[in-house]
Amino acid sequence: MSAPILDLHSLPAMPATLLRAALPFGKSRGRTTLPALTLRAHGCRASPVLLERYRTACGFDADGFLPLTYPQVLATPLHLQLLGLPDFPYSVLGTVHVRNHIQQHRRLPDTAALTVACRFDGQREVPAGHEFDIETRVESQDTGELLWQAVSTMLRRHATRKDADGARKAPPPDDARFASSRPSPWSIPADTGRRYARASGDFNPIHLTAITAKPFGFPRAIAHGMWTLARCVSELGEAAQADALGLDCDFKKPLLLPSRVTFQTARESAGVAFRVLSEEGKPHLVGRLG
């Protein structure tokens, strides 16, 4: 990471960081340049209480290691602090997480002391608005070894986006990889967003209740995208417990709470594809582990 580095001795507190990132005040109107700054926190450890809540909420067993998706939870306060910088041009509310790529180099013991660093990267214009990436690196505090890294792709939609035009587009063909997959039904309860928030610290109101989600255009609360991904990884069992792993996913459609969905997998030459479908057969998430 070549950007200037701001070293922190602990992770930022989530409630204040989320509030600061969400407020539109002080944002540069018309500006699209992202801050060139790396935030780096030392001595990060998973809280045993919060980790247990996370495992319970997402379906992981306690095995002495962090789940593949958990370092993203540790990094979230740094992500939000980046999004709350005065020269970051947007409010976090209305910014959508659309893709995630994770590369684990070695499993992380659940008591390990870690250094977590995040920065912006890869901004580009797309038909729906502006995309940008947040790059995360997790290293051993003791040795400096790179253990885990990720790229989270965010979308800031154009204010004048025409939903009606998108609605007229023909639906994409069904993914042939899953033609012979045995579907696994999931029933996702209404309190899923609140349980995940208590584990992750992400109390974005769109995930909590119908009352708090409706001002943002949702008829009910929606599941955190990273909860849906973590739930998929937990369902993959031993396939997600190797040392070196890559995990990719596209977040397609908000998952309203409560919901009934279908989880499917498809074996590939070097891994496994997976997806979560709505009752209408539309994908909420499509991913690959390998």
Side-chain angles (χ1 to χ4, degrees):
M1 296 181 177
S2 59
I5 298 173
L6 176 61
D7 279 308
L8 307 173
H9 295 294
S10 62
L11 291 168
M14 274 293 287
T17 307
L18 178 59
L19 179 61
R20 188 164 49 249
L23 292 175
F25 308 114
K27 300 298 182 181
S28 303
R29 302 288 183 183
R31 175 189 172 100
T32 58
T33 304
L34 300 177
L37 177 68
T38 294
L39 296 179
R40 185 169 62 186
H42 300 277
C44 304
R45 295 179 188 269
S47 157
V49 172
L50 296 181
L51 179 57
E52 176 59 27
R53 290 179 188 171
Y54 182 88
R55 285 170 169 151
T56 300
C58 302
F60 291 104
D61 294 326
D63 62 359
F65 294 94
L66 297 181
L68 175 60
T69 48
Y70 194 78
Q72 184 98 7
V73 173
L74 290 178
T76 296
L78 292 179
H79 289 190
L80 290 172
Q81 185 148 327
L82 281 175
L83 296 170
L85 291 172
D87 51 347
F88 179 71
Y90 314 116
S91 168
V92 68
L93 297 178
T95 300
V96 183
H97 191 180
V98 292
R99 287 189 300 282
N100 219 77
H101 168 72
I102 290 172
Q103 187 67 50
Q104 178 178 275
H105 303 285
R106 185 163 63 82
R107 294 193 81 188
L108 285 68
D110 58 16
T111 58
L114 305 168
T115 297
V116 183
C118 303
R119 67 166 185 143
F120 290 118
D121 192 22
Q123 184 174 216
R124 58 208 159 266
E125 189 164 355
V126 296
H130 288 93
E131 280 189 356
F132 60 90
D133 299 326
I134 302 177
E135 178 185 308
T136 302
R137 292 169 61 91
V138 177
E139 300 172 352
S140 166
Q141 174 75 27
D142 297 329
T143 67
E145 177 189 2
L146 177 63
L147 302 174
W148 187 100
Q149 59 193 119
V151 176
S152 304
T153 300
M154 316 298 289
L155 171 66
R156 181 68 187 185
R157 297 189 187 277
H158 288 311
T160 57
R161 183 174 62 96
K162 296 181 179 179
D163 291 324
D165 289 344
R168 286 196 294 267
K169 293 181 181 177
D174 192 37
D175 194 330
R177 293 176 298 175
F178 299 96
S180 59
S181 171
R182 179 179 298 176
S184 174
W186 293 353
S187 181
I188 303 175
D191 68 344
T192 297
R194 296 189 292 277
R195 289 190 295 114
Y196 187 80
R198 287 192 289 269
S200 67
D202 184 354
F203 284 89
N204 187 323
I206 64 175
H207 303 302
L208 304 181
T209 67
I211 292 174
T212 57
K214 281 180 181 177
F216 303 96
F218 298 102
R220 306 195 301 274
I222 64 172
H224 297 73
M226 287 303 298
W227 174 85
T228 309
L229 179 59
R231 181 69 184 85
C232 292
V233 172
S234 72
E235 192 78 3
L236 293 171
E238 292 183 1
Q241 295 172 5
D243 264 342
L245 284 171
L247 176 66
D248 291 278
C249 81
D250 290 283
F251 300 107
K252 298 289 192 180
K253 171 184 167 65
L255 198 165
L256 295 172
L257 299 171
S259 278
R260 295 182 182 275
V261 299
T262 299
F263 175 71
Q264 290 181 293
T265 61
R267 286 287 175 185
E268 297 186 324
S269 58
V272 57
F274 58 89
R275 68 179 180 180
V276 176
L277 296 179
S278 70
E279 288 187 294
E280 298 77 29
K282 296 180 180 179
H284 290 293
L285 178 151
V286 177
R288 185 182 182 280
L289 176 74

